[in-house]
Amino acid sequence: MAVERVLSGMRPTGQLHLGHYHGVLKNWLKLQHECECLFFVADWHALTTHYDTPEIIEESVWDMVIDWLAAGIDPASATIFIQSRVPEHAELHTLLSMMTPLSWLERVPTYKDQQEKLSNKDLSTYGFLGYPLLQSADILIYKATQVPVGEDQVPHIELTREVARRFNHIYGKEKGFEEKAEAAIKKLGNKRAALYEEMRAAYQESGDEEALESARAMIQEQQNLSLGDKERLLGYLEGGGKIILIEPEYKLTPASKMYGLDGQKMSKSYNNTISLREPLDVVTKKIKTMPTDPARIRRTDPGDPAKCPVWQLHEVYSNDEVKGWVQNGCKSAGIGCIECKQPVIDGVIAELTPIQNRAAEYAEDPTIVKNIVAEGCEKARKLARETMREVRDVMGLNYG
Ligand code: TRP
Ligand code: SF4
């Protein structure tokens, strides 16, 4: 199998909290060892909703990168960069906007949903409508094959796939395509050429998806083929024209078990978060003042963990033994709520301490962080430039 290229981004609109850590970052940590990963700060996306409070974005960008690094994102395994430092994203966004039907954007469910949810802001802007197309540009410019996202982002990835398909359909046609594809097959060498023909027939004649997959992998691995020939061979496999932009797949981030201090999903808008930078005495205070099962008015009243937000944190932080102690102790009024909260406090503090120590080191030496990001931007730009050269070419913008 050809190596997957993973791309994902986060909007810098405030401090990261334990919900981000358990929901997104832990998933990134795992992926960075399995695939080629690109992670970026989506500052332009943040501006679509925060255009009137740019200071929030400015404040959050570096803190966010520091939190990623402190959480264990390793610049040796993942490329970390900032969207606005790779202006090619904007160029591709503009070019894609030429061929994207307005109705495709208007019917993306997040468009109306978010407008209603954030009704205190005027989001009937051009930029906000284009949000998912900018996201498509982010993804397509790197030919990413996998995009880890939460469920709410799935329609954006589906739009991206449709845009790529339409783009390839319109711009993948070239004069003499078949002859060029046949010539490219010959460049594979006899053995591989025969294999390619065999797998192409298996897919086109009997819909053999496995054959399609192995043929794609074989093409991606060829070192001596030009990019153009690779695109021709990929397209010819399926019977179309050149495949210039790759249709990405989404990789659903496993639903986070992280609940907030009030039993709802942890989220800034519910004001129920523990941030990654939370001073540890505040962590203790926040957990100590968490609501518990309302049936436990007096210490002697039995309760039910199923009705208590503290229990949801035990599910994340406690082992079976402690969980058994909570279940029994709560239902029999054998333990008090203060006692019950202590292992959760200890668990959160044990998790945050090394993260905060590493964050403090990075915060003390901002040049390290700036260098990591500068290097990441450089790497990203190199990839982005390559795609843009081709895109400009097929869109008739390469004036000699
Ligand atoms: N829209 C994403 C979010 O709010 C952030 C994002 C922007 C993104 N561009 C992306 C995610 C590209 C994945 C790929 O979470
Ligand atoms: Fe919640 Fe624990 Fe109190 Fe039971 S004992 S109500 S689980 S805090």
Side-chain angles (χ1 to χ4, degrees), residues 368-379:
I368 298 186
V369 181
K370 301 223 157 145
N371 286 341
I372 289 170
V373 170
E375 218 171 278
C377 291
E378 204 37 62
K379 269 195 225 162

Side-chain angles (χ1 to χ4, degrees), residues 343-396:
V344 170
I345 295 173
D346 296 341
V348 174
I349 287 180
E351 184 168 74
L352 287 183
T353 303
I355 297 180
Q356 293 191 354
N357 289 344
R358 279 192 298 262
E361 283 170 30
Y362 284 114
E364 242 167 65
D365 196 349
T367 48
I368 298 186
V369 181
K370 301 223 157 145
N371 286 341
I372 289 170
V373 170
E375 218 171 278
C377 291
E378 204 37 62
K379 269 195 225 162
R381 250 192 124 172
K382 212 167 143 230
L383 297 170
R385 267 193 226 119
E386 254 173 57
T387 305
M388 286 318 296
R389 207 172 301 133
E390 283 178 82
V391 167
R392 280 187 218 118
D393 198 25
V394 296
M395 289 187 81

Side-chain angles (χ1 to χ4, degrees), residues 94-273:
T94 297
L95 294 180
L96 295 177
S97 78
M98 306 304 169
M99 40 129 301
T100 303
L102 199 50
S103 61
W104 289 12
L105 293 171
E106 285 165 340
R107 69 166 191 240
V108 171
T110 46
Y111 179 55
K112 291 238 156 61
D113 288 356
Q114 290 291 100
Q115 273 186 340
E116 277 163 29
K117 227 168 127 193
L118 305 173
S119 55
N120 54 333
K121 263 186 202 160
D122 181 5
L123 290 182
S124 50
T125 56
Y126 181 51
F128 190 66
L129 178 67
Y131 183 115
L133 191 64
L134 178 58
Q135 186 164 351
S136 300
D138 298 337
I139 298 167
L140 297 173
I141 206 161
Y142 299 106
K143 306 195 177 194
T145 55
Q146 299 273 344
V147 186
V149 286
E151 202 148 8
D152 61 314
Q153 297 289 310
V154 169
H156 296 176
I157 312 305
E158 273 162 2
L159 173 83
T160 304
R161 293 172 60 88
E162 282 180 84
V163 169
R165 223 174 294 143
R166 184 169 165 91
F167 185 95
N168 291 331
H169 179 74
I170 298 175
Y171 302 109
K173 290 188 196 120
E174 54 178 355
K175 253 193 259 151
F177 174 73
E178 277 191 26
E179 291 73 19
K180 285 182 183 164
E182 290 290 344
I185 294 175
K186 294 218 173 73
K187 293 183 196 159
L188 289 171
N190 286 342
K191 223 171 102 194
R192 288 208 190 84
L195 206 59
Y196 176 92
E197 298 278 23
E198 200 179 295
M199 294 191 282
R200 176 170 182 263
Y203 175 67
Q204 292 198 4
E205 286 159 26
S206 34
D208 185 342
E209 296 278 347
E210 251 170 62
L212 178 66
E213 267 313 302
S214 359
R216 277 186 186 148
M218 179 180 85
I219 296 161
Q220 296 292 11
E221 277 162 22
Q222 299 310 303
Q223 305 279 347
N224 58 336
L225 280 184
S226 70
L227 209 51
D229 274 342
K230 277 190 187 174
E231 288 163 358
R232 287 181 191 102
L233 289 178
L234 290 173
Y236 198 50
L237 266 180
E238 296 178 57
K242 259 168 120 173
I243 294 186
I244 301 150
L245 299 180
I246 305 281
E247 284 182 47
E249 285 180 20
Y250 59 81
K251 212 174 154 75
L252 264 193
T253 306
S256 166
K257 273 198 292 210
M258 201 60 212
Y259 290 92
L261 296 165
D262 58 356
Q264 301 186 78
K265 184 183 144 91
M266 189 177 282
S267 159
K268 194 176 58 180
S269 48
Y270 299 144
N271 202 10
N272 64 358
T273 62

Side-chain angles (χ1 to χ4, degrees), residues 292-293 296 303-305 308 310-311 314 326 329-330 335-337 340-341:
T292 58
D293 177 357
R296 295 206 72 184
D304 180 0
C308 177
V310 178
W311 170 250
H314 275 293
V326 173
C330 181
I335 59 171
C337 291
C340 176
K341 287 173 171 177

